[in-house]
Amino acid sequence: MAADRPGLLAGAAAVSGELPTGAAEVRPTGPVPVMIVYGADDPVRPIDGLPSPSPVAGEPVTPTRSARSSAELFAKAGGAGAPTTRAERGYDRTVWRLGRSAGTVQFLAVHDAGHTWPGSAITPPKGFGRTGTALDATSTLLGFLAESR
């Protein structure tokens, strides 16, 4: 929705979400604030993208871009300039300022985190990796979306 109909949304957020490539390719079409939070050690959907066929048994064969490349495409579609990246406690934050708006595209790579919801108290399924504790994804995403209204 954020890629195909950006004008309908005030903002969008994803945890462990990457844009598909290949036959199912999705390319952002206009400006929309987006935040992507991703575990740097995600064994299910690797941060560098998923090739086709998938190296992970049981995963769909739809290939994906890397998490950063997904954010970069949203930034480009929004007329953003060069990003700034800063290391924060337990994660790296890359921010692009969207042109002609006060919004941003942000990519947060959480260190020592897998295919999980950072800050969650729920034990992830076997093979999903560790749950990152450096940030609370729920409050981080809600804060971002509140600023995007």
Side-chain angles (χ1 to χ4, degrees):
M1 183 64 128
D4 290 339
R5 304 283 191 156
L8 297 178
L9 304 174
V15 174
S16 298
E18 298 168 321
L19 291 173
T21 62
E25 182 176 37
V26 172
R27 286 190 161 272
T29 58
V32 63
V34 172
M35 177 178 274
I36 297 173
V37 176
Y38 221 92
D41 299 324
D42 189 329
V44 177
R45 287 278 180 184
I47 196 167
D48 291 330
L50 191 63
S52 184
S54 170
V56 182
E59 270 294 299
V61 295
T62 302
T64 61
R65 298 184 178 284
S66 73
R68 183 182 172 104
S69 175
S70 296
E72 287 171 341
L73 283 177
F74 278 105
K76 182 177 179 182
T84 59
T85 300
R86 69 178 187 256
E88 299 194 20
R89 199 182 80 129
Y91 61 98
D92 297 323
R93 181 189 303 261
T94 302
V95 178
W96 294 262
R97 296 245 169 247
L98 296 173
R100 293 191 289 181
S101 80
T104 61
V105 171
Q106 297 189 34
F107 170 57
L108 283 63
V110 183
H111 304 269
D112 300 320
H115 193 73
T116 59
W117 192 269
S120 173
I122 298 171
T123 302
K126 184 177 179 177
F128 275 48
R130 295 176 36 138
T131 299
T133 58
L135 69 99
D136 176 349
T138 302
S139 63
T140 301
L141 295 173
L142 288 174
F144 174 79
L145 292 172
E147 291 172 6
S148 298
R149 308 188 283 142

